[in-house]
Amino acid sequence: MEEKRLVYMDHAATTYVKPEVLEAMLPYFTENFGNPSSIYTFARKSKRAIEDARDKVAKALNANTDEIFFTGGGSEADNWAIKGVALANREKGNHIITTKIEHHAVLHTCEYLEKRGFEVTYLDVDENGVVDLEQLKNAITDKTILISIMFANNEIGTIQPIAEIGKIARERGVLFHTDAVQAVGHIKIDVKEMNIDLLSLAAHKFYGPKGVGALYIRKGVKIDNLIHGGGQERRRRAGTENLPGIVGLGKAIELATQDIEGHNAKLITLRDRLLNGIMDKIPHTKLNGHPVHRLPGNINVSFRFIEGESLLLLLDQFGIAASTGSACSSGSLDPSHVLLAIGLPHEIAHGSLRLSLGDKNTEEDVDYVLSVLPNIVQRLRDMSPLYEDFLKGEK
Ligand SMILES: *Cc1c(COP(=O)(O)O)cnc(C)c1O
């Protein structure tokens, strides 16, 4: 029997671990398992491996080594940045600015703080998903302590004008956090040049392991701890370090930032082949997100008259792994908050598909999707009362 084909196009949800990354991690599960906090010689290897990974993360961001703190992933880094800054700067003010299209790790953290006396402004975005810098400037008050705006959106791929936002924040004396979980490894980041004060990243979005990430905290930023306990991470983040995970993060960020342009050139070629094919073959389709300022591997399209959930199930039958809305909201029937924020009506937002490409995808994968997807969309449209009404209206 022929093995069922798998075409994985959900790299924005997570990636596989690169063999070189796994290889770097393996000794830290087995022979080099020492607790980095222990003082005997045997544990020094562990300590050194963590500091080596910290150097690699710092280098990738143009940060200083002592500005990098390891966490249990992207969500923890976001929670720490926002809650930590909010609590440590409470006397200065209680106002936070973010956007309507953030990841839930940011949005739900802000909502949590709203219930505890903080005020949050959720900035609009335009039809391409870009924040309005004038609206941002006007939202800043003398109570504003933090601006948290994501680097690149996980659903629609839109990249924000981060350097401009950083400049505004610095000029107004407000701290600037960016959730760069989708950006690291795909966009060149320089925290100094971009005036970024805090930055979140997660290894499993750039071919590293899951459950490990980092928060960059610029020297001098006032921030409370999120996880209390032992004195790890220079007393900022308690808990015995995820040693193999941190080693994997270091290796993965080193590989991912080595040749961003070469990696992107390949992804963009594949993405455009797929996108152009979809646009040619499937009528009543709209590209979501910015046409140019978008992540190289991201396609997000809305097909009128159908539901994304049924589309995903049918794609799955053909071995195609993709996503509708964000991975975190799948399972709920609410349309994506991001698609609503860019102004899509509910019924169109419901018919959306995200295909996120990665470094193992090939032209054959793209052509396979293009051979399957148009028929599936047509099958669903043929069953759709909305489509029937539309066809009647055409006559
Ligand atoms: C995946 C993701 C997160 C959450 O990261 P985890 O490591 O899964 O906790 C946060 N923000 C964005 C933009 C993401 O894509």
Side-chain angles (χ1 to χ4, degrees):
M1 213 179 89
E2 207 188 324
E3 185 75 19
K4 192 173 156 190
R5 186 174 181 139
L6 170 70
V7 173
Y8 184 79
M9 289 200 182
D10 203 16
H11 294 83
T14 198
T15 62
Y16 73 95
V17 172
K18 277 197 176 152
E20 302 96 304
V21 172
L22 177 63
E23 203 186 319
M25 293 171 68
L26 285 174
Y28 295 93
F29 287 102
T30 50
E31 61 262 38
N32 301 330
F33 61 85
N35 189 320
S37 300
S38 304
I39 57 166
Y40 37 76
T41 315
F42 169 62
R44 264 184 227 154
K45 258 198 181 139
S46 306
K47 180 87 190 144
R48 229 180 293 134
I50 287 180
E51 294 319 310
D52 179 52
R54 203 185 308 281
D55 277 342
K56 290 186 161 100
V57 176
K59 196 161 159 245
L61 304 174
N62 191 30
N64 302 328
T65 303
D66 61 0
E67 295 174 316
I68 304 301
F69 299 87
F70 293 112
T71 66
S75 299
E76 185 190 319
D78 284 340
N79 270 260
W80 184 12
I82 297 168
K83 289 177 196 166
V85 165
L87 293 176
N89 295 275
R90 186 69 184 82
E91 323 82 76
K92 201 179 155 230
N94 69 339
H95 181 226
I96 295 167
I97 300 173
T98 186
T99 78
K100 290 184 178 164
I101 63 162
E102 297 299 310
H103 189 276
H104 284 143
V106 168
L107 284 181
H108 291 169
T109 302
C110 287
E111 286 160 20
Y112 167 86
L113 288 173
E114 276 185 291
K115 289 192 201 121
R116 281 154 186 83
F118 289 87
E119 276 176 34
V120 181
T121 301
Y122 299 90
L123 298 176
D124 297 316
V125 293
D126 68 13
E127 69 278 10
N128 292 325
V130 183
V131 294
D132 177 349
L133 297 178
E134 287 310 307
Q135 198 193 12
L136 168 64
K137 284 183 199 161
N138 293 335
I140 299 172
T141 71
D142 54 2
K143 292 266 185 297
T144 310
I145 49 175
L146 178 67
I147 296 169
S148 179
I149 296 181
M150 70 200 317
F151 210 117
N153 185 268
N154 46 304
E155 293 187 38
I156 57 174
T158 298
I159 299 166
Q160 301 297 337
I162 290 298
E164 278 100 316
I165 296 168
K167 190 159 173 279
I168 293 168
R170 193 60 58 87
E171 278 169 6
R172 301 289 292 269
V174 178
L175 293 174
F176 174 38
H177 165 249
T178 187
D179 173 344
V181 174
Q182 289 289 332
V184 172
H186 302 287
I187 305 168
K188 207 175 158 343
I189 299 179
D190 183 324
V191 290
K192 293 199 173 87
E193 206 174 280
M194 295 172 159
N195 290 312
I196 296 167
D197 297 304
L198 304 112
L199 178 145
S200 308
L201 60 89
H204 73 111
K205 302 289 175 77
F206 49 86
Y207 309 101
K210 296 171 188 38
V212 61
L215 182 63
Y216 152 77
I217 307 175
R218 185 176 57 77
K219 214 184 188 88
V221 166
K222 262 182 86 182
I223 181 166
D224 278 7
N225 289 351
L226 180 71
I227 310 284
H228 301 273
Q232 290 90 355
E233 295 294 286
R234 298 187 310 290
R235 309 200 156 275
R236 301 297 273 283
R237 199 276 190 184
T240 300
E241 298 86 343
N242 175 0
L243 176 61
I246 289 170
V247 169
L249 167 56
K251 186 70 189 173
I253 204 166
E254 180 178 58
L255 293 174
T257 50
Q258 247 164 24
D259 179 23
I260 290 186
E261 268 160 35
H263 173 73
N264 285 356
K266 191 192 151 221
L267 269 184
I268 288 171
T269 307
L270 277 184
R271 179 196 70 190
D272 289 350
R273 183 186 180 93
L274 181 53
L275 179 60
N276 294 336
I278 290 173
M279 289 307 195
D280 280 350
K281 288 170 189 257
I282 310 178
H284 313 297
T285 301
K286 179 189 178 301
L287 174 69
N288 298 315
H290 199 285
V292 181
H293 300 300
R294 67 186 300 124
L295 289 169
N298 174 287
I299 292 178
N300 188 308
V301 280
S302 296
F303 304 112
R304 278 179 70 191
F305 318 117
I306 67 166
E307 294 236 329
E309 303 286 321
S310 353
L311 182 60
L312 285 193
L313 291 176
L314 288 175
L315 284 172
D316 184 42
Q317 290 182 4
F318 287 89
I320 299 169
S323 173
T324 180
S326 71
C328 319
S329 61
S330 56
S332 94
L333 283 176
D334 292 335
S336 137
H337 64 284
V338 177
L339 297 177
L340 296 181
I342 61 171
L344 291 194
H346 276 242
E347 70 277 11
I348 295 182
H350 267 304
S352 299
L353 175 70
R354 178 185 72 185
L355 296 158
S356 45
L357 285 75
D359 69 358
K360 274 193 191 166
N361 285 132
T362 59
E363 268 187 21
E364 289 73 49
D365 290 345
V366 165
D367 294 344
Y368 175 66
V369 173
L370 287 174
S371 73
V372 167
L373 181 61
N375 301 330
I376 292 181
V377 171
Q378 193 53 49
R379 246 169 87 188
L380 291 171
R381 281 181 177 165
D382 288 342
M383 300 186 301
S384 155
L386 288 171
Y387 190 53
E388 202 178 323
D389 291 348
F390 169 79
L391 290 179
K392 275 183 202 144
E394 289 267 275
K395 283 193 191 130

